[in-house]
């Protein structure tokens, strides 16, 4: 056991682990996707539903992943093999590793965009630019396959370099620097945004709920967003948990990581909505163009916009990096534990694979018609559907296969609260799988027949 822990690596400190896991969770999902979906789904009411999803579904699934990881001290495939030998359950781990690889390959491409935007803003290219010019800058860049590929390569290399350093000296050390920097920049941006004229309109959009906008599809979006943002369903938290000692309190760890992830997403809303409302004619419901197409119009008009614009894209770049590290680590852990490769060889080869597999994504936004839509498809099938499928099987595994009392025993090491584990057992057995199954059915119906569950129910109930 000691030898296994020694060769696999271990977190050096509790705070280091929390920051690394929070770093894996905090990513483009928090700073780009959360404000985007909040804007599209009516603001405050969505935020409240999102918080409910994090607490009732996200935290329990995270706790499940951490407990499987720590109990088995193994990568996702090895973890399922250890608890349920000679069964098909290892396929759930396999799906997680595959999902990690797929998301990583496309995620590095978008991460590369954020870096390009740091440079564009520093160079002052947005100063005085009209909305048309801003759109033109974006479309010219994303359709230039070679340049997108170079930025993508840069991210892959950076991620491989950090992951090669190992758990404590690579991932933990990087997170200890990157996460506080991220928080500092975000707070600075929130301060700037809140002090803009007209900010109060944005604050009220963000904080006063209008429940008339809520329907089942809003709840579905909140759930999907919660899983993606908390990095659940593909064994990332399982892998991070596998480097934890029995002394650690898993319950409080899951709560801290979720709290950090949710607070950063919430703060990102404060950086974006007040600024958005301070500029005439911009709507919060613009969709995914919010970050690259709309925000430069704001940085263009506010005092010190160039500085804050640069800081914003730098923030996105850091957030993306701490997530690509987590994504790569899941796949690397698989090759180290299952194939007995060295960390260096695993990181290099998986990195090379992710770079190559990312090329169709790099060319999918205008550079090549053949690959058009490739990146969106990867994010839909792996970033949404596969994470939900993985999370569903993780709940069923922990709640029904592993034996809930064994799972509870693992959770109780290092945890002195007696009530929390029992509430968790109820959520993970009944509530989480049911809720996740509903989102999946909804997604499949949408894909197969083009209607959401909500639309069919409304029709059926004659609403
Ligand atoms: N949570 C990350 C984000 O918010 C994405 C991610 C998903 C990272 C799954 C690792 C695993 O951007």
């Amino acid at each position: 056991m000691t030898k296994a822990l020694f060769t696999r690596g271990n977190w050096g400190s509790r705070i280091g682990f929390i920051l690394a896991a929070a770093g894996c969770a905090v990513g483009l999902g928090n700073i780009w996707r959360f404000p985007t979906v909040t804007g599209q789904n009516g603001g405050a009411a969505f935020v409240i539903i999102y918080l409910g999803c994090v607490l009732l579904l996200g935290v329990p699934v995270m706790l499940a992943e951490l407990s499987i990881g720590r109990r088995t001290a193994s990568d996702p495939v090895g973890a399922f093999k250890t608890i349920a030998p000679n069964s098909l359950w290892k396929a759930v781990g396999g799906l997680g590793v595959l999902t990690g690889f797929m998301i990583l390959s496309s995620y590095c491409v978008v991460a590369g965009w954020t870096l390009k935007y740091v440079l564009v803003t520093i160079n002052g290219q947005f100063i005085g630019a009209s909305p048309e010019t801003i759109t033109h800058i974006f479309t010219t860049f994303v359709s230039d396959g070679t340049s997108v590929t170079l930025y993508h390569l840069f991210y892959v290399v950076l991620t491989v370099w950090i992951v090669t350093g190992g758990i404590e000296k690579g991932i933990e050390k990087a997170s200890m620097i990157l996460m506080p920097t991220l928080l500092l920049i975000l707070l600075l941006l929130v301060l700037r945004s809140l002090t803009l004229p007209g900010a109060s309109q944005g604050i009220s959009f963000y904080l006063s709920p209008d429940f008339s906008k809520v329907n089942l599809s809003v709840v579905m979006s909140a759930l999907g967003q919660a899983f993606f943002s908390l990095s659940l369903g593909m064994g990332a938290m399982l892998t991070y948990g596998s480097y934890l000692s029995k002394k650690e309190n898993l319950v409080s760890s899951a709560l801290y990581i979720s709290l950090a992830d949710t607070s950063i997403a919430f703060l990102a809303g404060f950086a974006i909505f007040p600024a958005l409302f301070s500029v005439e004619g911009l709507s919060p419901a613009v969709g995914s163009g919010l970050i690259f197409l709309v925000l430069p119009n704001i940085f263009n008009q506010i005092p010190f916009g160039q500085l804050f614009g640069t800081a914003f894209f730098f923030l996105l770049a850091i957030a993306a990096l701490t997530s690509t590290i987590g994504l790569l680590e899941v796949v690397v852990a698989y090759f180290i534990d299952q194939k007995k490769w060295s960390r260096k060889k695993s990181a290099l080869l998986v990195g090379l694979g992710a770079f190559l597999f990312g090329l169709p994504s790099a060319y999918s936004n205008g550079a090549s018609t053949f690959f058009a839509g490739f990146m969106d498809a990867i994010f839909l099938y792996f970033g949404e559907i596969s994470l939900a499928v993985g999370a569903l099987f993780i709940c069923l595994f922990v709640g029904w296969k592993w034996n809930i009392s064994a799972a509870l025993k693992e959770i109780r090491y290092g945890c002195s609260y007696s009530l929390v584990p029992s509430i968790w057992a109820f959520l993970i057995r009944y509530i989480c799988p049911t809720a996740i199954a509903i989102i999946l059915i909804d997604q499949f119906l949408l894909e197969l027949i083009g209607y959401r569950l909500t639309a069919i129910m409304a029709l059926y109930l004659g609403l």
Side-chain angles (χ1 to χ4, degrees), residues 24-30 103 107 227-232 234 236 261 323 326-327 387:
C24 169
V26 172
L28 299 172
N30 301 60
I103 301 180
Y107 202 98
F227 282 126
F228 183 81
S229 184
L230 294 167
S231 300
L232 297 174
M234 52 156 275
D261 185 68
S323 292
L327 290 160
L387 291 185

Side-chain angles (χ1 to χ4, degrees), residues 286-365:
V286 284
S288 57
L290 178 70
I291 297 298
F292 295 103
L293 298 173
V294 177
L295 284 189
N297 288 297
I298 299 170
F299 297 132
N300 236 351
Q301 301 187 22
I302 61 177
F304 304 106
Q306 190 181 359
L307 176 76
F308 288 103
T310 309
F312 179 81
F313 289 111
F314 189 58
L315 168 80
L316 264 180
I318 296 179
L321 179 63
T322 54
S323 292
T324 55
I325 293 171
L327 290 160
L328 179 61
E329 178 57 27
V330 172
V331 191
V332 163
Y334 166 78
F335 282 105
I336 295 177
D337 289 348
Q338 299 302 308
K339 307 288 171 206
K340 307 293 171 219
W341 290 4
S342 71
R343 173 166 283 277
K344 196 167 169 189
K345 175 177 166 190
S346 312
L348 277 173
L349 289 181
V350 177
L352 178 66
F355 169 69
L356 294 175
F357 202 77
L359 292 178
S361 285
Y363 280 80
S364 72
N365 293 284

